[in-house]
Amino acid sequence: MPTAQRALRETGQTIVRVLPLLVVALPMAAFLAELIPPDAAAGWLGPESGLVGIVIASVAGGFIPGGPFVSFPWC
């Protein structure tokens, strides 16, 4: 199978796999942003949070659906 055809097939499969995750993750992120006051989030994850902020962000990142496709869309 030519490389271009395989690439198109795999691209389609990736879109089918990732699109439902995006449909769920983006509204969840918007709702979460409304529920958590910005001052609280800055205290937990801001520059002054240090190692505790890294741990909190790492644990919270484990629960985010979609993985790097949602968090880092340029990947």
Side-chain angles (χ1 to χ4, degrees):
M1 175 178 288
T3 304
Q5 286 179 339
R6 187 178 59 189
L8 287 172
R9 187 186 73 236
E10 290 179 13
T11 299
Q13 291 171 347
T14 301
I15 290 171
V16 167
R17 217 175 43 244
V18 172
L19 192 59
L21 295 173
L22 289 172
V23 168
V24 172
L26 293 177
M28 283 177 54
F31 292 139
L32 189 59
E34 292 298 320
L35 292 175
I36 297 177
D39 295 338
W44 295 338
L45 302 172
E48 295 83 28
S49 64
L51 184 60
V52 173
I54 293 172
V55 171
I56 291 171
S58 298
V59 171
F63 291 103
I64 295 174
F69 293 108
V70 175
S71 301
F72 305 105
W74 57 86
C75 289

